[in-house]
Amino acid sequence: MNPNEWARQRSWTLRGASTEYTVAVPEHGRWLELVAWGPYGVSDGPSPVGYDGPTPFLTSGDAAPIEYGTDAARPFAGPDLVVETANGGRRVSWGYREATGDERSLAVTFADPVTGLRAVVRYEMPAGTDVVRRWVELTNDGETELRLVRIGSAGFCVPTPHGARLSYQWGQWAQEFQLDQVDLGHGGFTVGSAQGVPGHLYVPWLAVRDQAEPDGPTWGMALAWTGSWEITADRDTGGLTRVRVGRHLPDGPLDLPPGASLELPVAAGAYSPDGLGGLARVWHDYQRQLAGERLGPRPVLYNSWEATYFSVDAENQLALARIAADLGVETFVVDDGWFVGRPDDHGGLGDWTPDPAKFPAGFDSFVADVRALGLNFGLWVEPECVSPRSRLYAEHPDWVYAIEGRPITPIRNQYLLDLGRPEVAEFVHSTVDGLLRRHDISYLKWDFNRPRTEPGRMAGTGRVDLDGAHVANLHRIYEELRRDHPHVVIEACAGGGARTDLAMAARSDVFWPSDNTGPLDRLAIQYGFLHANAPHLLSSWVTDSPGLFDPRPRSLAFRFVLAMAGVLGIGADIRHWSAEQRTEAAAWIARYKEIREIVMHGTVHLIGGPDQPRCAVQYTSPDAATVVVLAWHTGRLDGTGLLPSRPVRLPLRGLDPAAGYRHGEQHYSGAHLGAVGLPVQWTPTHDADLIVLHRA
Ligand code: GLA
């Protein structure tokens, strides 16, 4: 279709790998609405979300499947955008202007003749994915300042005629990514964060499906925004579930002066015909695309946090590094505690100089010693935070978020730098960039151990989009560091998993999902994580920690197989491991290196769950020739029964039923593995397994 024809028509279809997304501007031109969202061909038939009946006591906009609604279009059912004028008036009403695009992208422009606000509603479906990226650019073409009260990025309409089933993830520190669900008859459900960071409490991710078909068509939404956010699902009385996704403005409205523009973050929508598991694969493919050329194998790392905490010194780190190198570890990461004024978490942040007392022969000599063991070197930083006792704070007390005349709220004994300020951004960038230039560093763990509390600047400069400015500079700094130091792997961490969103997935290489490394706790965390995130993003360590929530003991093998589900690391105090434990560890690390390509690139099937007798993850290589199964025993380790017991069976997915698969001497047909399942027999000493099947 030529561009002129495209511009003349009023209905457009975007196509991804196997999904289509069709929208249309009705005759009246006041909004854009969804026609259908699903598999190829879904738009060919009456719209499953369309509505043209009367709307007694409502406006037609309240019932229509509007893509991006103002409070004029949806006065009762909740708009995506609320704008206030100088006199306190709150109505913006669109008129359709134009559209440009093709099968992969679409930009539809609307404008409001009264306020002069213009909105370009944008869509993109990256080739090879089943994800639609949606965002909006707002421009004030009028003469007076506008106040943005609510700035959603997108509304997603999902047909749920029999009731909506919503899956979401809740959590807390040390217990992130807890997958849960709620059935929504009528009314609303909201998750979000007002912390200036995605947060531990909820993940900016939601899955929606019809209650009558819980394993069938499933739609997902996620937000690429590293600040405060909100996702709201409302099921109306007519069976339509509308999900609003966007930034949350906990500090009040934003100003949009005449001539100014604001680009809202990308809200991503995913579709799969195969339930939550299928939806996870859509997100995995998308994040693998976001990683692009950086989707290489991540190094097996050792991180010394749990072994030495703040008591870092050259001697104890080298003792750990020597053993780590023998085990087959590739990168040695020194965590918190390496810099001046950091004997504990009461000081040091901001003064990013290696502590000469801890590295008496010099930091570079220490790094060289680590490298001489054949290891790459990595370092922990938390450059957005500052300790009140630091030199940085003494010199720049005005650099932190604060409200004049009021005390600042410390969290973990630290304040937060106002990264939105250019001089602070310059400090943070040059600090990290300087460390990477000065020292031989191949891995960076960037932490963020407190949310923002004070919504203001010391100088009291009027209303500022603090969240927006902080996040924009954070993203820019990550991008610049990756551009200038392409060989450095960046792990994003925020006291565990408080900073995992699609924008960070595009700018970092791996996420630290939780400080909880206890085996059964971690199993539940990783199970939720993998529903929203690809394995290459899952950093996981083998440690000696007991579980906080589920303290039942598990074997070293269990811990290894668990950490191998993503990017394997070791975090135990390996100085205390016995010779047998070290031999076992070296064997697991060697096996991981054999399978990690498949873990990074394979098709993931989540089997059972942490609260079920069956619990495994299957990774099928892109050429379907190799299937890696990681399986865990979730039950009590109280011995074999006296009655004959049969193995747990793990039904594998996506295999060719007619093909044969081999594991050692054992042969299975694909049909058997699918219909009956791969057997695993648990005993008190055998509580996890790694099974690699080769297509015969
Ligand atoms: C956070 C991180 C941990 C560790 C500590 C260091 O809690 O999540 O992994 O780096 O900070 O203080």
Side-chain angles (χ1 to χ4, degrees), residues 18 21 90 98 122 127 164 401 483 523 553 622 631 691:
S18 59
Y21 193 100
R90 274 203 175 194
E98 60 168 357
R122 292 194 176 274
Y401 289 110
R483 183 198 62 205
L523 185 66
I691 298 161

Side-chain angles (χ1 to χ4, degrees), residues 389-567:
R389 279 193 339 213
S390 64
R391 205 185 63 219
L392 181 74
Y393 186 64
E395 285 171 7
H396 299 287
D398 55 325
W399 277 11
V400 301
Y401 289 110
I403 308 284
E404 197 114 49
R406 297 186 189 279
I408 307 172
T409 316
I411 297 182
R412 207 195 190 205
N413 313 304
Q414 63 203 50
Y415 298 159
L416 186 58
L417 293 177
D418 178 356
L419 190 64
R421 291 169 60 148
E423 61 276 30
V424 176
E426 168 53 27
F427 165 78
V428 168
H429 175 261
S430 62
T431 298
V432 182
D433 181 68
L435 286 169
L436 298 181
R437 284 181 201 281
R438 271 195 304 282
H439 310 295
D440 202 352
I441 295 172
S442 318
Y443 192 100
L444 193 69
K445 179 175 170 192
W446 180 310
D447 210 337
F448 182 83
N449 275 311
R450 59 152 299 159
R452 180 165 63 78
T453 42
E454 275 60 44
R457 293 187 167 164
M458 207 58 113
T461 48
R463 214 166 25 228
V464 184
D465 179 9
L466 297 173
D467 233 30
H470 193 120
V471 172
N473 280 341
L474 178 77
H475 288 169
R476 185 176 52 74
I477 293 169
Y478 264 71
E479 287 160 16
E480 288 172 1
L481 291 173
R482 292 232 296 204
R483 183 198 62 205
D484 298 339
H485 307 277
H487 67 286
V488 177
V489 176
I490 305 186
E491 177 172 20
C493 169
R499 214 179 217 177
T500 55
D501 70 275
L502 288 176
M504 290 309 275
R507 291 171 177 82
S508 55
D509 299 297
V510 63
F511 291 143
W512 178 240
S514 180
D515 283 347
N516 192 335
T517 55
L520 288 162
D521 291 351
R522 189 77 178 194
L523 185 66
I525 290 165
Q526 295 190 176
Y527 178 76
F529 184 93
L530 287 173
H531 275 84
N533 297 287
H536 72 270
L537 292 166
L538 171 61
S539 177
S540 193
W541 306 341
V542 174
T543 72
D544 302 318
S545 301
L548 271 175
F549 302 95
D550 187 341
R552 289 174 298 160
R554 283 298 183 267
S555 69
L556 189 62
F558 187 105
R559 292 172 189 263
F560 264 100
V561 175
L562 188 54
M564 288 160 85
V567 180

